Each structure stands twice: as structure tokens, then as C-alpha cells.
Amino acid sequence: MKHLKSHIKLLTAAIVCLAITACGWVEIDHSGNGHLDGYWHLTSIDSLATDNTRDMQEERVFWSVQGSLLILYSPDFTNTTQRIVCQFKRENKQLFIIEPRIFDRPAGDPLLEDIEQLRPFGINKFDERFSIITLTSKHLTIATDSLRLNFRKM
């Protein structure tokens, strides 16, 4: 009888944990990205060579991170691609942007061929490497040798 009660308690605890997870009361990070996952607003770009800052608070330029995908998006771009999808890798305090593609599902997301389409998003190379300076649940700062990008999580 004593063993039956302990088994019932254990089963009840497992069911409660499963219900909490299934209802979304507890978020489980399956990607391993931690705070990096989410929708980020690019708030400023700092030129490290000239010490100038471009305020981007009023511009709608976003990076969206989920799993191993990075989507670059701005609804305001009319003379360049509004949405670009990239693969990325995160190792230690490095973020590697890989294989940028034009977000066009019917055409198979063709590889991006014009680097100028990435520049408004703060990326200057097809295979860009950023150092992660700050990463919290609300702020992200990444940098290359020439630029520092500051983001706020939406």
C-alpha cells in the first residue's frame, strides 16, 4: 500500500509537469540559442573607424532568430530586398552569418548575389562574423572589425 501511494504521487507529479509544459506555462528552449532567439529591432549602428553612430530607433529594421535561421526584414525597403533569410552558427561568443538568400519560397530562396542588399541590415560580407558583446533578454550588441550593431528585443 505504501508503494502504491508513492507511485501515485510520482505519477501525479509527472502529469502536472507535462500539463504545465503542454499549456505553455513554462517555456523550454530546444534550439540552444537562449536569449538570442527572438525578434530584434536594430536601434543603432556604430562605425568603429570613425566613431560615428547612426540612430536607427525610428527605422524599422529587424533581425528574427529562431533555431538556426536568421531572417532580416524591413517593411520600409523599396529599393532593395525587404526580407533575407540566412543560416547562422553561434560558437562561444561568435555569431557567423552564412548563406544569405532572398526570401522567396516559390523560387526556392535563391542565393543573394548583391552584397549591397545586406548593408542596410548592418552586414558587409556574405559570410559575416560578429563578436557577441552583450546578450541579455532585452539587449544584443554584436560587432565586426568595423561596425557595432545594437538591438532591442521586441
Side-chain angles (χ1 to χ4, degrees):
M1 187 69 162
K2 190 174 186 178
H3 290 296
L4 181 61
K5 283 184 181 180
S6 66
H7 287 291
I8 290 173
K9 285 181 183 179
L10 183 61
L11 182 60
T12 302
I15 290 171
V16 168
C17 288
L18 183 60
I20 288 172
T21 303
C23 292
W25 295 331
V26 175
E27 187 174 320
I28 298 175
D29 180 18
H30 296 286
S31 70
N33 290 332
H35 292 310
L36 186 60
D37 274 342
Y39 199 63
W40 296 93
H41 177 219
L42 181 59
T43 57
S44 67
I45 300 176
D46 303 325
S47 169
L48 301 177
T50 63
D51 218 18
N52 290 333
T53 297
R54 179 176 175 193
D55 184 2
M56 304 281 291
Q57 298 266 0
E58 300 301 317
E59 297 188 41
R60 298 185 301 171
V61 177
F62 304 100
W63 287 29
S64 179
V65 177
Q66 184 175 9
S68 64
L69 291 180
L70 167 65
I71 297 177
L72 310 171
Y73 173 68
S74 178
D76 300 328
F77 293 167
T78 55
N79 61 345
T80 188
T81 303
Q82 289 184 332
R83 191 169 297 180
I84 298 170
V85 63
C86 310
Q87 294 284 324
F88 78 89
K89 288 184 184 176
R90 179 178 171 202
E91 296 174 1
N92 301 319
K93 291 201 160 238
Q94 299 286 310
L95 183 66
F96 304 96
I97 310 299
I98 308 163
E99 219 175 84
R101 296 175 171 273
I102 297 169
F103 191 89
D104 183 356
R105 298 294 174 182
D109 295 334
L111 278 172
L112 192 68
E113 295 179 3
D114 183 4
I115 192 67
E116 293 304 316
Q117 294 182 6
L118 285 172
R119 293 190 199 282
F121 295 102
I123 299 174
N124 292 318
K125 298 178 191 171
F126 284 116
D127 292 330
E128 188 75 89
R129 177 185 303 224
F130 290 95
S131 295
I132 300 172
I133 308 301
T134 304
L135 175 58
T136 69
S137 62
K138 303 278 186 202
H139 298 297
L140 170 65
T141 302
I142 56 178
T144 64
D145 293 338
S146 59
L147 297 177
R148 182 174 43 241
L149 309 179
N150 299 291
F151 296 86
R152 175 179 56 90
K153 190 174 260 184
M154 302 296 293

